[in-house]
Amino acid sequence: MFTDSVQIETTAPLILEFTQTASPPTAISLNSRISKDTIRTSLKASTADSVLASVYSLGTGGILLSNLLVQLGASPVVFGMLSSIPMLVNLIQPLGAYLSERSTSRFQYSLRTHGIGRLLWLVLVIGIASVSWGVLNTHQLVILTLLIVLFSSLLGGLGTASWLSWVAMIVPRQLRGRYFGTRNSAASLTNLVCVPMAGLVVSHWYGGTLQGYGVILLISIIFGIMGLGCQYFQVDINPQSQNTYYGKSSQTSEIQSEVTKDESSEVLQSIHLPQDQSANSIWKNSNFLIFLLYFSFWTLAVNLSSPFFNLYMLDTLNLDVSYVTIYNSLQAGATLLMLILWGKLADKIGNRPILICIGILVGVTPLLWLGIGVNRLDIWLWLPLLHILTGGTWAAIDLCSNNIQLGIVPIKNQSIYFAIAAAVAGASGALGTTIGSFLLQFAQSGGLLGLFALSGVFRLVALVPLMFLQEPGRA
């Protein structure tokens, strides 16, 4: 998290106009000035939000939710559905982007979507208690879990593009790599500390693992709501004014009373508006279409195997959940250590070279699972090393994919671009997970290793479109 001693590089402050809304925080339109202190406060609030959201995520997804389904005797198809639902519902993101652009406050829209979505998980807490009381059986709890994942993800899909557009407007362009590196590092540190603690609680809870997970889930929901509260301290943006400003920004005379012509160009760069693409439609933006091709095929290739690594450890290798949470903590630790480095490097050399080079390493990573067994050497050495490698490399992929997407989209209808990218990637990722789950259903446990190898080959092929992608501001 940023402190007062950290110098935040900002461009010439944006010219913004305060408008009154029914309730605080005040949404602003792009006609008056955002001060550096306001930007600093917003970045700190966003970082705090990411920390609390990480606690929310560890209870509502990842290894703990996978372990719940293993304990309930869920089939590989259920695991595939668990992973594919959050991606498939991204198809609703264009609708969410449309609705968000008709709102007058990013903050209030976030409360209506993410707030309700996080509160829905309280139903699963009640369901877990009902199983303990004999009201529900385990099969019914599996179905309830999938329904909660579905509706919570739908609400999240409605709000994700708006949130990303909101953050994109706040973070200055030249600070983007370092800020998101620091922000994600804070989230990784939270996972590093909290995941093993949560795993131990679930594994050793006196009432059993099911009740232990229920306790962790309830705590996660509370932290998730607190995270939304942090967004109150971020400078709010009026989406309608954001789109109006886009139309005016091509004529610098509209803002000359406050900034010079050179400074206005810098302002446009700080909100990553490619000036030569301002009049282009989405489907004429070849750079964005190339990114879509890469992003969709990469997501398909990754999700052929990624949902099943935890299943392989918990089911095939029959490892205790506490061991697996330790591995996940090592992965989070590697992410923590590498994110700031990747952020600084991305600011220096660009995001595309990192995506290509590290993408090759991520592509061959599934092949390294082919020799993993249940012997002591693998459990105590190779599995930890493999998770450390995964954490360090995926830190680069996640950070640079996000940064390059922020850089190639114009500001007008910005959330629409984000929504289309998420929808296309979500559909392809869900397709990859569905294919993987059905292959496993028919091939049984022996098919896992073959699936890992197939995923590795597809990941390498998915990197080809990056050769033709042009990153704004880079030669």
Side-chain angles (χ1 to χ4, degrees):
M1 185 179 300
F2 284 90
T3 63
D4 292 337
S5 61
V6 176
Q7 181 178 358
I8 297 182
E9 296 183 14
T10 60
T11 58
L14 292 180
I15 312 265
L16 299 170
E17 174 180 26
F18 287 86
T19 60
Q20 295 299 321
T21 59
S23 60
T26 303
I28 55 178
S29 60
L30 300 172
N31 296 318
S32 72
R33 186 180 298 271
I34 297 181
S35 67
K36 292 183 179 181
D37 287 341
T38 302
I39 294 177
R40 185 188 298 271
T41 300
S42 298
L43 298 185
K44 288 181 179 180
S46 181
T47 302
D49 177 26
S50 73
V51 170
L52 296 172
S54 296
V55 180
Y56 165 77
S57 297
L58 76 87
T60 58
I63 182 60
L64 295 182
L65 188 59
S66 297
N67 183 68
L68 171 69
L69 295 179
V70 169
Q71 297 297 321
L72 297 176
S75 67
V77 172
V78 173
F79 276 89
M81 294 177 64
L82 178 68
S83 299
S84 63
I85 286 174
M87 293 179 289
L88 192 58
V89 298
N90 282 330
L91 291 171
I92 205 174
Q93 283 209 28
L95 174 61
Y98 171 77
L99 294 175
S100 71
E101 296 306 307
R102 296 175 66 88
S103 69
T104 57
S105 168
R106 294 289 188 197
F107 173 71
Q108 293 179 12
Y109 186 81
S110 179
L111 286 183
R112 291 193 295 268
T113 53
H114 291 107
I116 298 174
R118 293 182 181 186
L119 287 174
L120 276 179
W121 284 92
L122 289 172
V123 177
L124 184 57
V125 175
I126 297 174
I128 292 173
S130 299
V131 170
S132 301
W133 299 331
V135 178
L136 296 178
N137 58 41
T138 56
H139 178 68
Q140 292 170 330
L141 186 59
V142 169
I143 296 175
L144 179 62
T145 301
L146 291 178
L147 288 175
I148 296 300
V149 171
L150 172 61
F151 288 106
S152 177
S153 299
L154 281 171
L155 287 164
L158 289 174
T160 297
S162 177
W163 176 86
L164 186 56
S165 180
W166 185 11
V167 175
M169 291 296 298
I170 294 174
V171 182
R173 180 190 60 82
Q174 72 272 34
L175 185 64
R176 192 177 299 145
R178 279 169 289 173
Y179 171 70
F180 283 112
T182 302
R183 185 182 190 275
N184 294 348
S185 292
S188 297
L189 177 60
T190 304
N191 286 328
L192 178 65
V193 175
C194 294
V195 169
M197 293 173 57
L200 289 174
V201 170
V202 172
S203 183
H204 297 89
W205 188 259
Y206 68 92
T209 56
L210 187 61
Q211 291 185 13
Y213 173 74
V215 173
I216 294 298
L217 178 59
L218 180 59
I219 296 173
S220 299
I221 296 170
I222 294 173
F223 275 83
I225 299 302
M226 292 170 59
L228 290 177
C230 292
Q231 295 181 7
Y232 174 88
F233 300 97
Q234 295 177 198
V235 58
D236 201 0
I237 298 293
N238 185 331
Q240 297 182 25
S241 297
Q242 177 179 333
N243 293 330
T244 302
Y245 175 75
Y246 171 85
K248 297 180 179 180
S249 63
S250 60
Q251 300 177 358
T252 55
S253 60
E254 296 288 340
I255 53 177
Q256 287 310 300
S257 59
E258 296 291 342
V259 292
T260 66
K261 189 170 184 178
D262 289 340
E263 287 174 331
S264 66
S265 176
E266 188 177 357
V267 170
L268 291 175
Q269 292 179 7
S270 73
I271 53 179
H272 48 271
L273 170 61
Q275 299 182 54
D276 58 340
Q277 296 179 4
S278 59
N280 289 352
S281 68
I282 292 176
W283 305 115
K284 292 181 180 180
N285 190 333
S286 59
N287 212 32
F288 180 70
L289 295 179
I290 292 173
F291 175 79
L292 279 186
L293 180 62
Y294 153 73
F295 201 38
S296 59
F297 196 65
W298 174 262
T299 307
L300 185 148
V302 167
N303 284 280
L304 275 174
S305 60
S306 61
F308 306 107
F309 291 122
N310 285 335
L311 176 63
Y312 183 70
M313 291 185 289
L314 292 170
D315 190 23
T316 304
L317 300 183
N318 198 28
L319 297 179
D320 186 82
V321 65
S322 59
Y323 286 97
V324 183
T325 54
I326 291 175
Y327 297 152
N328 280 262
S329 295
L330 291 174
Q331 182 172 325
T335 302
L336 170 67
L337 293 176
M338 295 300 296
L339 268 172
I340 297 179
L341 172 64
W342 292 130
K344 292 180 178 179
L345 190 61
D347 287 338
K348 184 176 182 180
I349 69 172
N351 297 282
R352 191 176 73 100
I354 298 176
L355 284 175
I356 295 174
C357 296
I358 302 302
I360 295 174
L361 190 55
V362 172
V364 302
T365 299
L367 304 179
L368 302 179
W369 284 80
L370 301 184
I372 298 295
V374 293
N375 57 76
R376 289 181 175 273
L377 181 64
D378 288 343
I379 292 175
W380 294 106
L381 179 60
W382 295 120
L383 275 175
L385 289 178
L386 191 55
H387 280 80
I388 291 173
L389 173 65
T390 301
T393 52
W394 269 104
I397 297 297
D398 289 340
L399 178 67
C400 294
S401 294
N402 180 70
N403 286 348
I404 205 168
Q405 182 180 187
L406 294 180
I408 64 177
V409 301
I411 194 173
K412 184 177 182 181
N413 296 321
Q414 192 178 57
S415 62
I416 301 293
Y417 280 81
F418 296 147
I420 290 175
V424 171
S428 60
L431 177 63
T433 301
T434 303
I435 293 173
S437 63
F438 277 103
L439 287 176
L440 291 181
Q441 183 72 12
F442 294 106
Q444 302 302 326
S445 60
L448 274 170
L449 298 182
L451 190 65
F452 293 166
L454 180 65
S455 176
V457 174
F458 274 44
R459 292 182 188 194
L460 295 176
V461 175
L463 297 174
V464 174
L466 284 177
M467 304 294 182
F468 306 96
L469 183 67
Q470 296 180 357
E471 183 176 356
R474 304 289 177 180

